[in-house]
Amino acid sequence: MPLRKYGVLAARAVDRHREGGTDSPHYEVHLRDDAGTHYRAAVNVRSKVAPHELMYVVVDDFRHPLTQQLPAPGSGWKGLAGQAGGGAALDFVRGNLFDPAAMRVLPPDLPGVDNDLSDLFDHYVQRAIADPKIALYVFGDRFGPEPHAHDSEFGFQPSDGVHEIHMNQGNSKGFEPQDGVWQDGGMLFHLPAEDRWVAVFLAFQSQKWHTDPVTGHAIPGAPDRLAGFEAPLTIIAALVKAAGPAAGAGTVTLLNTSAATVDLTGWCLVDEEGHPLPLPSRQLPAGSTLAVAAGDGGGFRLGDLGGTISLWDPSGLKVHGVAYTARQASAEGRTITF
């Protein structure tokens, strides 16, 4: 079954501990919300399943409409109903949070400086510990609170916190019962002095990147992570608010990045609500672009409060996706590039 208590913790970082000596070590973060409640975030840095090194990506300037849906900084735990079309739930496959091909692999903890996953977390967490104005949002599955138990790492009572702070779908056989959609983990840091968000996302190398839209299980026979995202078409731009007489209409621009002509029959765009927009049945030459008109009726639409746009191939696999914020969409007649 999917995660039982999925949600997001809005709190401040006050301490950290690099756990070692186990086959599944964690990077432990002590957090406290503005009401004084203590929590622990247990972040996996090594997989029990080979290959053991985790994949990670850091988005240093994270721009996504979900940041507009987050609870107030320091407000504590908020349960999330995992679903598309609004809300703050994470889905690595459907949410267009980052480019999966940008993920890299790091070992959990090595001698030396800036050479492992724990060092990477230290870079951001220790800055948050030193500056209480930095807000931390941790997505995952809640454990506790256990009224009569002390936390195993930091000693506070009651024991309370968040784990499963990583991709939670497309799991290998032994972990398939935890699969689900719109329940992935992650960490967001808001730096108010810079008006900037930093996002850190983790996944196990054993996980698959094309998953069933209902169960979150890996789709049998689908390509692996990198091959699945080496599509001949990509989304390169969107005009959300057209100027002048065409106000309200918009376009999505596609680029054929391959060296061959692509038949667009069967391809489609999908909006944040899951509404499809079939591409015109025509041939798109290599290196050419195509601006696809996006209506604002009951089907596919570009929301001016931010949204996501996904590209699906004729076999029914998502091969590319982008996201934009309300701020990016606010300028009438201006095209957003991705």
Side-chain angles (χ1 to χ4, degrees):
M1 61 180 294
L3 303 183
R4 293 183 303 150
K5 298 169 71 175
Y6 179 70
V8 59
L9 172 64
R12 318 283 180 176
V14 297
D15 197 3
R16 68 94 172 97
H17 171 65
R18 298 163 64 124
E19 183 183 46
T22 73
D23 65 346
S24 181
H26 293 74
Y27 183 93
E28 309 281 5
V29 186
H30 181 184
L31 303 108
R32 184 171 58 235
D33 66 22
D34 291 349
T37 304
H38 293 260
Y39 306 86
R40 173 167 56 90
V43 187
N44 289 81
V45 292
R46 185 181 188 275
S47 173
K48 289 183 178 179
V49 178
H52 299 291
E53 292 80 9
L54 266 68
M55 297 186 295
Y56 80 95
V57 65
V58 176
V59 185
D60 269 314
D61 188 9
F62 182 67
R63 302 183 188 187
H64 195 284
L66 81 86
T67 59
Q68 303 157 207
Q69 307 294 328
L70 292 171
S75 57
W77 176 259
K78 180 181 180 180
L80 296 174
Q83 60 184 11
L90 305 185
D91 191 304
F92 289 8
V93 177
R94 297 158 191 85
N96 300 349
L97 302 166
F98 58 92
D99 178 4
M103 297 200 95
R104 297 294 180 263
V105 174
L106 269 180
D109 198 357
L110 294 175
V113 179
D114 293 335
N115 60 359
D116 57 49
L117 199 52
S118 295
D119 289 339
L120 181 139
F121 277 110
D122 263 348
H123 177 77
Y124 297 99
V125 172
Q126 296 214 69
R127 180 176 177 181
I129 293 171
D131 183 358
K133 293 181 181 179
I134 294 177
L136 184 55
Y137 292 85
V138 185
F139 295 79
D141 192 33
R142 188 175 186 179
F143 61 85
E146 300 179 48
H148 304 295
H150 287 81
D151 181 74
S152 61
E153 297 294 329
F154 299 105
F156 58 80
Q157 188 179 13
S159 175
D160 200 355
V162 191
H163 61 167
E164 313 296 358
I165 308 169
H166 47 67
M167 186 177 183
N168 289 303
Q169 58 185 306
N171 282 301
S172 56
K173 286 294 183 182
F175 297 92
E176 278 184 340
Q178 298 175 9
D179 281 346
V181 297
W182 296 101
Q183 60 159 31
D184 287 328
M187 299 178 72
L188 302 183
F189 299 81
H190 185 229
L191 286 58
E194 304 175 33
D195 190 21
R196 179 166 65 96
W197 291 85
V198 175
V200 183
F201 301 114
L202 302 172
F204 300 114
Q205 293 187 66
S206 57
Q207 291 173 313
K208 303 301 181 183
W209 286 80
H210 292 291
T211 60
D212 183 273
V214 176
T215 66
H217 297 327
I219 297 175
D224 64 22
R225 178 179 68 96
L226 295 178
F229 286 86
E230 292 174 353
L233 298 180
T234 58
I235 303 167
I236 61 170
L239 172 60
V240 177
K241 285 185 178 180
T251 59
V252 178
T253 302
L254 303 172
L255 170 66
N256 178 357
T257 60
S258 75
T261 296
V262 174
D263 182 355
L264 301 183
T265 304
W267 289 80
C268 71
L269 295 169
V270 177
D271 67 12
E272 186 175 57
E273 301 286 345
H275 300 129
L277 175 64
L279 299 188
S281 296
R282 54 164 288 187
Q283 304 292 310
L284 186 64
S288 298
T289 61
L290 174 68
V292 182
D296 58 356
F300 181 95
R301 64 184 298 271
L302 299 174
D304 57 10
L305 298 180
T308 62
I309 312 168
S310 299
L311 178 64
W312 293 70
D313 72 9
S315 68
L317 297 179
K318 179 193 160 186
V319 295
H320 192 233
V322 296
Y324 61 93
T325 65
R327 180 184 296 181
Q328 290 174 298
S330 63
E332 187 176 286
R334 183 173 180 83
T335 297
I336 305 165
T337 57
F338 304 108

